[in-house]
């Protein structure tokens, strides 16, 4: 069934990573951004809701929110992710999404005071100075693909191997050579395999370390 | 085991173009001879009208498609701007033509093979004459069903190969030498009026009705967004390819037909217009004729393939959007294609094939598409006026409304009136199809609510 996410632009590279992870996990993404940022997302498979507001901070009233979210069918929206660098706007939109029946809402916040308010209202809060992407991925319990940046361009990929993946049937050493990565297989829940001759099978859970680009290419 | 129950994004711009190319070209290849037969010395002007209509439809779809990253095409467009029920109706109108395209493409290719084998005195013609035409068509349809089931990548690769064959056999071997030879012989000043007969207004009207149906199939552009890597920019780019290549082909072929073929020759069998042009090229004639004939067969078969892809994706999105039963949205575990929707496409198109009559299939064809295109034009007008959803391709605005939408509304209204007047008998079939759709919609919505 159709799974939709409303994602408020973070105005940094976090939003790109979130889009990649969410679309890789089968979500249809509605990105809410400002008028002048629409073009930034045209090479991504997302709906771009570029508001008439030059700055998202000018969104205040219910009428503004109705205008911004026009055309989104909230009955299909499973998750709202609000990581704009303004705590008040994130909470304001979280309340609007809640009123429209969105079941899971994740709010990125900076101030402790706002965190307490948001948690009291039942929102999932991630504190922005911490590893936001990793936290969001854990909250969402993504089933198929997670890529968590570690340092610089290096990331950890966690992914469930499905029958349609091109890496199926390759050995660990083949993958490591081809993509310049390190691979561990978790099989049958608790077996850890790292021998070079181990073949990737459907249902395996992979932990892979490598450059973000190579990891994305590996699971494409 | 968990599985990815959504479509795989694998298509690039040329893949998308190739899948649409056959659907729109096949209709024009078939219609061109009949348009010329009825339009007589006005054929070139009627051809220009057909091209103008194609350009407007493509621009409307390209602009709308640059806002939507998912499969569903016109259903999503109309639902977003006007509402779910009208969105469903517009998609249901279109679905009729998509399913007809499967039957019509496979049946026409089969008939063409039998005629060609007989015309060329091939040994196999004796065997083919004893096989019911439906069997041959259903065999083609089965192969296409399997191909579209295996994966969109495989379907796109087949479409690309045939598109390249079409560029070589029609573009390079027919159009290019044909135009050069004609210009060398006649010079640039000779207009394409030639010595063809005058026609009466009723025939011209009928020619315009045929021309209005000349390029249906462009809508497949929107169905492929869910399998495109970068849909918001690839759909408009594929649209530009459709416009440029479609225009060059259509104008040139009509020019060559009127320049190199006599009206008497054309009148003997208008369906063979491409074959007649190929036969008139004075160099490498046997090679060009053979290439053109094989190309026509391949184009018809691949048009049926596009029918499979479009119809199944439409059922898929209507199902995932809870408008049709959920099983139709099932995606094959290994191939990541909507296998139940594809099976339904196969079964319904086989029903249309059973009588083996092409006229029966073609009669109601394209009315639904034109209604759909008109609704999409209205949707673009509303979307552009209201704003909110960012698109990678936008046309100039008049009072805030996209100029392509305004042109679409005007020209498509005219085209629809012409076609409805000329094809009144087909309205009953379309009406029956709509009633079936509305009943399905109401039952399913009630089930979803309960």
């Amino acid at each position: 069934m159709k799974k939709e996410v409303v994602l408020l632009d973070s105005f940094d590279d976090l939003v790109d990573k979130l889009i990649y992870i969410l679309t890789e996990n089968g979500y249809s993404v509605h990105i809410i951004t400002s008028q002048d940022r629409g073009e930034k997302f045209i090479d991504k498979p997302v709906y771009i809701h570029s508001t008439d507001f030059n700055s998202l901070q000018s969104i205040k009233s219910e009428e503004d929110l109705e205008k911004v979210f026009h055309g989104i069918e909230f009955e299909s929206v499973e998750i709202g992710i609000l990581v704009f660098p303004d705590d008040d706007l994130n909470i304001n939109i979280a309340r609007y999404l809640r009123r429209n029946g969105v079941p899971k809402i994740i709010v990125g916040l900076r101030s402790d005071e706002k965190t307490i308010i948001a948690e009291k209202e039942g929102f999932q809060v991630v504190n922005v100075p911490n590893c936001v992407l990793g936290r969001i991925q854990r909250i969402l319990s993504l089933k198929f693909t997670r890529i968590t940046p570690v340092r610089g361009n290096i990331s950890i990929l966690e992914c469930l191997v499905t029958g349609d993946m091109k890496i199926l049937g390759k050995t660990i050493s083949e993958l490591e050579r081809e993509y310049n990565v390190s691979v561990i297989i978790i099989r049958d829940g608790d077996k850890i395999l790292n021998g070079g001759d181990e073949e990737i099978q459907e249902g395996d859970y992979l932990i892979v370390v490598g450059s973000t680009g190579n990891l994305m290419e590996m699971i494409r | 085991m968990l599985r990815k129950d959504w479509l795989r994004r694998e298509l690039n711009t040329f893949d998308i173009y190739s899948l649409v190319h056959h659907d729109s070209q096949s209709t024009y290849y078939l219609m061109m001879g009949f348009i010329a037969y009825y339009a007589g010395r006005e054929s070139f002007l009627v051809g220009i009208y057909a091209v103008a209509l194609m350009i407007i439809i493509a621009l409307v779809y390209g602009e709308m498609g640059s806002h939507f990253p998912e499969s569903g095409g016109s259903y999503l467009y109309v639902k977003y701007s006007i509402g779910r029920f009208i969105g469903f109706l517009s998609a249901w109108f279109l679905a009729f033509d998509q399913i007809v395209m499967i039957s019509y493409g496979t049946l026409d290719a089969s008939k063409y093979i039998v005629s060609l084998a007989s015309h060329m005195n091939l040994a196999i013609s004796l065997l083919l004459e004893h096989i019911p035409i439906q069997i041959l068509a259903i065999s083609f349809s089965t192969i296409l069903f399997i191909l579209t089931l295996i994966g969109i990548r495989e379907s796109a690769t087949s479409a690309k190969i045939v598109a390249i064959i079409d560029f070589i056999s029609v573009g390079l071997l027919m159009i290019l030498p044909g135009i050069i030879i004609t210009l060398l012989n006649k010079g640039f000043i000779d207009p394409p009026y030639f010595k063809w007969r005058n026609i009466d207004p009723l025939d011209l009207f009928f020619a315009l009705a045929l021309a209005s149906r000349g390029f249906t199939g462009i809508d497949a552009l929107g169905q492929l967004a869910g399998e495109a890597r970068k849909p918001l920019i690839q759909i408009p780019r594929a649209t530009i390819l459709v416009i440029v290549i479609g225009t060059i082909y259509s104008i040139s072929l009509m020019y060559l037909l009127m320049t190199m073929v006599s009206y008497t020759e054309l009148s003997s069998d208008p369906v063979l217009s491409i074959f007649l042009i190929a036969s008139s090229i004075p160099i490498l004639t046997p090679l060009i004729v053979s290439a053109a004939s094989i190309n026509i067969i391949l184009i018809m078969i691949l048009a049926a393939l596009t029918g499979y892809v479009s119809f199944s994706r439409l059922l898929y999105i209507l199902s995932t959007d809870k408008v049709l039963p959920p099983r139709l949205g099932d995606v094959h575990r290994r191939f990541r294609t909507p296998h139940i929707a594809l099976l339904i496409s196969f079964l319904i198109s086989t029903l249309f094939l059973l009588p083996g009559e092409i006229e029966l299939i073609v009669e109601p064809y394209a009315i639904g598409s034109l209604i759909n295109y008109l609704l999409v034009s209205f949707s673009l007008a509303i979307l552009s006026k209201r704003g909110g959803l960012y698109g990678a391709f936008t046309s100039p605005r008049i009072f805030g409304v996209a100029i392509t939408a305004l042109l679409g509304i005007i020209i498509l209204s005219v085209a629809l009136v012409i076609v409805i007047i000329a094809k009144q008998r087909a309205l009953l079939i379309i009406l029956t199809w709509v009633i079936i759709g509305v009943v399905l919609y109401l039952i399913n919505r009630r089930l979803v609510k309960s």
Side-chain angles (χ1 to χ4, degrees):
Chain A
M1 277 304 105
K2 207 170 170 187
K3 304 182 294 183
E4 297 190 19
V5 178
V6 167
L7 174 60
L8 189 62
D9 190 0
S10 64
F11 284 69
D12 58 18
D13 61 354
L14 173 64
V15 71
D16 296 330
K17 289 177 181 134
L18 280 170
I19 287 172
Y20 181 81
I21 294 292
L22 290 164
T23 51
E24 277 296 310
N25 282 277
Y27 285 97
S28 175
V29 177
H30 293 263
I31 176 90
I32 311 292
T33 189
S34 60
Q35 204 173 30
D36 55 338
R37 290 254 305 169
E39 184 149 11
K40 183 192 174 322
F41 298 101
I42 57 170
D43 62 346
K44 311 232 168 4
V46 295
Y47 287 95
I48 307 166
H49 298 263
S50 62
T51 66
D52 287 341
F53 305 96
N54 272 325
S55 156
L56 290 181
Q57 275 134 320
S58 5
I59 302 169
K60 301 279 183 204
S61 66
E62 186 77 8
E63 199 179 298
D64 294 344
L65 287 164
E66 292 287 344
K67 207 171 167 187
V68 168
F69 288 92
H70 175 85
I72 296 180
E73 287 186 323
F74 286 105
E75 64 180 63
S76 311
V77 177
E78 284 186 5
I79 303 163
I81 301 177
L82 312 166
V83 282
F84 182 69
D86 178 329
D87 288 359
D88 287 327
L89 181 70
N90 288 340
I91 291 178
N92 196 16
I93 293 182
R95 287 172 181 150
Y96 177 79
L97 295 182
R98 169 69 52 80
R99 284 198 294 281
N100 281 282
V102 175
K104 185 177 272 185
I105 299 165
I106 300 170
V107 192
L109 297 175
R110 284 157 179 76
S111 105
D112 292 342
E113 185 195 340
K114 301 287 179 193
T115 302
I116 294 166
I117 294 171
E119 281 177 340
K120 268 187 187 166
E121 293 188 33
F123 301 124
Q124 305 256 20
V125 178
V126 289
N127 289 111
V128 171
N130 300 333
C131 181
V132 176
L133 188 64
R135 293 280 320 276
I136 291 174
Q137 290 184 125
R138 273 193 291 281
I139 293 170
L140 293 178
S141 308
L142 297 171
K143 294 178 181 70
F144 297 102
T145 309
R146 297 186 199 188
I147 293 183
T148 312
V150 180
R151 182 181 289 264
N153 189 32
I154 302 299
S155 296
I156 294 178
L157 162 75
E158 298 167 65
C159 83
L160 179 72
V161 179
T162 50
D164 63 307
M165 292 175 85
K166 63 181 177 185
I167 57 172
L168 208 64
K170 292 197 173 178
T171 62
I172 286 183
S173 56
E174 280 172 342
L175 277 189
E176 291 185 334
R177 218 174 25 248
E178 204 172 323
Y179 297 100
N180 192 23
V181 292
S182 293
V183 181
I184 291 173
I185 301 174
I186 300 175
R187 186 170 294 161
D188 301 332
D190 55 0
K191 277 187 216 158
I192 296 177
L193 308 171
N194 56 6
D197 294 336
E198 293 292 346
E199 275 189 10
I200 313 292
Q201 296 176 7
E202 189 179 352
D204 284 348
Y205 198 76
L206 296 191
I207 310 281
V208 191
V209 180
S211 78
T212 313
N214 285 356
L215 295 176
M216 287 178 173
E217 182 55 39
M218 202 180 97
I219 55 168
R220 175 168 282 169
Chain B
M1 171 60 62
L2 284 168
R3 58 195 181 89
K4 295 178 175 173
D5 57 353
W6 59 92
L7 302 174
R8 190 186 284 164
R9 290 193 182 275
E10 293 206 297
L11 300 179
N12 62 34
T13 303
F14 192 66
D15 293 334
I16 299 167
Y17 168 74
S18 302
L19 281 162
V20 178
H21 172 86
H22 311 292
D23 205 348
S24 62
Q25 285 306 118
S26 64
T27 323
Y28 191 75
Y29 285 168
L30 178 80
M31 294 283 186
M32 184 178 70
F34 290 99
I35 292 170
Y37 175 71
Y38 287 105
R41 60 182 292 153
E42 310 303 337
S43 298
F44 197 75
L45 295 178
V46 176
I48 287 174
Y49 159 76
V51 168
L53 192 61
M54 177 271 287
I55 291 173
I56 290 299
I57 297 167
L59 285 174
V60 167
Y61 259 83
E63 185 162 355
M64 219 36 184
S66 77
H67 296 79
F68 293 82
E70 293 178 283
S71 291
S74 61
Y75 168 67
L76 294 180
Y77 309 160
V78 180
K79 185 183 86 166
Y80 186 85
S81 297
I82 305 175
R84 188 191 292 268
F85 179 66
I86 303 294
F88 169 77
L89 272 186
S90 80
W92 195 250
F93 273 119
L94 191 63
F96 183 82
D97 285 350
Q98 287 167 347
I99 204 83
V100 161
M101 194 65 233
I102 301 174
S103 316
Y104 153 64
T106 49
L107 192 62
D108 200 40
S110 306
K111 289 198 170 186
Y112 210 90
I113 288 172
V114 174
S115 309
L116 199 69
S118 165
H119 188 79
M120 296 172 99
N121 290 320
L122 299 178
I124 200 170
S125 64
L126 287 172
L127 177 69
L128 288 173
E129 278 168 16
H130 289 92
I131 300 175
I133 200 77
Q134 296 96 319
I135 300 292
L136 205 55
I138 292 171
S139 307
F140 281 130
S141 186
T142 309
I143 294 168
L144 294 176
F145 166 65
I146 294 167
L147 187 63
T148 45
L149 178 70
I150 291 171
I152 189 71
R153 187 96 217 111
E154 289 71 12
S155 304
T157 304
S158 317
K160 265 195 295 198
I161 292 168
V162 177
I164 290 166
I165 292 173
D166 189 45
F167 294 149
I168 295 170
S169 61
V170 175
L172 210 63
L173 292 176
M174 274 173 64
I175 293 177
L176 192 64
I179 296 277
I180 292 170
I181 290 164
T182 309
L183 292 180
L184 285 176
N185 287 344
K186 297 191 173 233
F188 288 89
I189 49 164
D190 201 6
Y193 280 91
F194 329 98
K195 301 173 188 72
W196 280 21
R197 72 171 177 108
N198 279 320
I199 41 137
D200 65 51
L202 206 61
D203 279 348
L204 182 61
F205 182 81
F206 196 68
L208 284 170
L210 289 172
S212 301
R213 306 175 347 154
F215 284 102
T216 47
I218 293 170
D219 48 86
L221 281 167
Q223 300 300 346
L224 297 167
E227 286 156 285
R229 288 182 194 139
K230 299 175 180 177
L232 304 188
I233 45 179
Q234 285 173 341
I235 298 295
R237 281 179 189 163
T239 304
I240 302 298
L241 280 176
V242 167
I243 290 172
V244 172
I245 297 171
T247 303
I248 293 171
Y249 264 48
S250 314
I251 300 276
S252 310
L253 285 173
M254 189 60 91
Y255 177 85
L256 290 178
L257 182 68
M258 298 187 73
T259 311
M260 305 183 92
V261 179
S262 73
Y263 187 80
T264 320
E265 275 179 292
L266 177 76
S267 308
S268 63
D269 200 349
V271 78
L272 294 176
S273 56
I274 298 284
F275 184 82
L276 291 172
I277 297 172
S279 310
S280 308
I281 309 279
I283 49 163
L284 301 169
T285 313
L287 170 74
I288 295 172
V289 168
S290 306
S293 305
I294 293 166
N295 179 54
I296 293 281
I297 294 165
L298 290 174
I299 286 279
M300 295 313 293
I301 292 173
L302 265 289
L305 180 133
T306 308
Y308 263 114
V309 172
S310 307
F311 186 74
S312 59
R313 269 54 178 180
L314 197 58
L315 290 190
Y316 167 82
I317 196 72
L318 291 175
S319 164
T320 54
D321 216 31
K322 298 173 187 166
V323 173
L324 287 180
R327 285 304 303 274
L328 294 175
D330 281 1
V331 171
H332 192 276
R333 181 177 176 166
R334 181 167 170 207
F335 304 129
R336 303 267 300 275
T337 50
H339 60 299
I340 305 286
L342 280 165
L343 184 64
I344 301 281
S345 318
F346 174 73
L347 295 175
I348 302 178
S349 60
T350 302
L351 280 179
F352 279 107
L353 280 174
L354 288 178
E357 287 299 324
I358 218 157
E359 289 73 18
L360 182 78
I361 298 172
V362 174
E363 179 76 13
Y365 182 67
I367 295 177
S369 292
L370 289 174
I371 296 173
N372 172 280
Y373 300 159
L374 186 59
L375 285 169
V376 172
S377 300
F378 275 112
S379 302
L380 178 58
I382 294 168
L383 177 75
S384 55
K385 181 74 182 166
R386 199 165 53 198
L389 208 53
Y390 189 89
F393 169 52
T394 50
S395 61
R397 300 310 199 226
I398 296 178
F399 300 113
V401 179
I403 192 166
T404 45
L406 294 173
L407 289 171
I409 290 168
I410 296 165
I411 197 164
L412 282 161
S413 301
V414 173
L416 191 59
V417 169
I418 292 173
V419 171
I420 287 175
I421 291 171
K423 293 275 168 192
Q424 288 174 39
R425 283 185 306 168
L427 289 179
L428 193 64
I429 301 172
I430 300 285
L431 190 65
T432 311
W433 176 257
V434 171
I435 291 169
I436 294 170
V438 171
V439 170
L440 270 176
Y441 177 88
L442 293 175
I443 292 173
N444 201 62
R445 290 307 288 171
R446 179 162 288 191
L447 284 175
V448 168
K449 277 179 187 165
S450 68

